[in-house]
Protein backbone atom coordinates (compact mmCIF):
# COMPACT_ATOMS: atom_id res chain seq x y z
CA UNK A 1 0.00 0.00 0.00
CA UNK A 2 2.87 2.38 0.70
CA UNK A 3 4.12 1.93 -2.84
CA UNK A 4 0.77 3.16 -4.05
CA UNK A 5 1.10 6.31 -1.96
CA UNK A 6 4.57 6.88 -3.35
CA UNK A 7 2.96 7.28 -6.76
CA UNK A 8 1.57 10.57 -5.48
CA UNK A 9 5.11 11.93 -5.47
CA UNK A 10 5.30 11.75 -9.26
CA UNK A 11 3.60 15.13 -9.85
CA UNK A 12 5.89 16.79 -7.33
CA UNK A 13 9.02 15.40 -8.93
CA UNK A 14 7.74 16.07 -12.43
CA UNK A 15 6.85 19.68 -11.71
CA UNK A 16 9.40 20.75 -9.15
CA UNK A 17 12.43 19.59 -11.11
CA UNK A 18 12.50 22.66 -13.35
CA UNK A 19 15.48 21.70 -15.56
CA UNK A 20 13.32 18.85 -16.85
CA UNK A 21 11.00 21.21 -18.74
CA UNK A 22 12.79 24.57 -18.84
CA UNK A 23 12.74 24.91 -22.63
CA UNK A 24 10.48 26.10 -25.43
CA UNK A 25 10.72 23.23 -27.90
CA UNK A 26 8.82 21.14 -28.86
CA UNK A 27 5.81 23.39 -29.19
CA UNK A 28 2.31 21.91 -29.18
CA UNK A 29 -0.54 23.86 -30.78
CA UNK A 30 1.49 27.05 -30.44
CA UNK A 31 2.24 26.51 -26.74
CA UNK A 32 5.91 26.26 -25.76
CA UNK A 33 6.92 23.04 -24.01
CA UNK A 34 7.26 24.89 -20.69
CA UNK A 35 3.52 25.61 -20.63
CA UNK A 36 1.96 22.52 -22.16
CA UNK A 37 4.07 20.21 -20.01
CA UNK A 38 2.58 21.80 -16.89
CA UNK A 39 -0.93 21.76 -18.36
CA UNK A 40 -0.67 18.02 -19.06
CA UNK A 41 0.12 17.37 -15.41
CA UNK A 42 -3.23 18.82 -14.26
CA UNK A 43 -5.42 15.95 -15.56
CA UNK A 44 -2.67 13.39 -14.94
CA UNK A 45 -2.44 14.40 -11.30
CA UNK A 46 -6.21 14.27 -10.93
CA UNK A 47 -6.29 10.81 -12.47
CA UNK A 48 -3.45 9.63 -10.27
CA UNK A 49 -5.13 10.90 -7.10
CA UNK A 50 -8.39 9.22 -8.13
CA UNK A 51 -6.66 5.87 -8.76
CA UNK A 52 -4.87 5.98 -5.41
CA UNK A 53 -8.09 6.94 -3.65
CA UNK A 54 -10.03 4.08 -5.27
CA UNK A 55 -7.32 1.53 -4.48
CA UNK A 56 -6.93 2.74 -0.89
CA UNK A 57 -10.69 2.50 -0.30
CA UNK A 58 -10.60 -1.28 -0.84
Amino acid sequence: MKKLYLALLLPFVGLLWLPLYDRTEPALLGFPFFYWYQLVWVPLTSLLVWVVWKRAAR
Side-chain angles (χ1 to χ4, degrees):
M1 186 61 101
K2 290 184 181 187
K3 290 181 184 179
L4 186 63
Y5 290 130
L6 287 177
L8 294 175
L9 292 176
L10 289 174
F12 290 107
V13 172
L15 290 169
L16 290 179
W17 189 28
L18 191 62
L20 180 67
Y21 61 97
D22 187 21
R23 57 181 186 260
T24 57
E25 294 295 326
L28 179 68
L29 300 172
F31 287 101
F33 182 76
F34 180 79
Y35 293 114
W36 70 258
Y37 177 81
Q38 294 174 68
L39 288 173
V40 166
W41 272 104
V42 173
L44 286 178
T45 301
S46 299
L47 180 65
L48 183 63
V49 168
W50 181 77
V51 167
V52 170
W53 174 66
K54 283 294 199 183
R55 299 280 175 140
R58 289 186 188 180

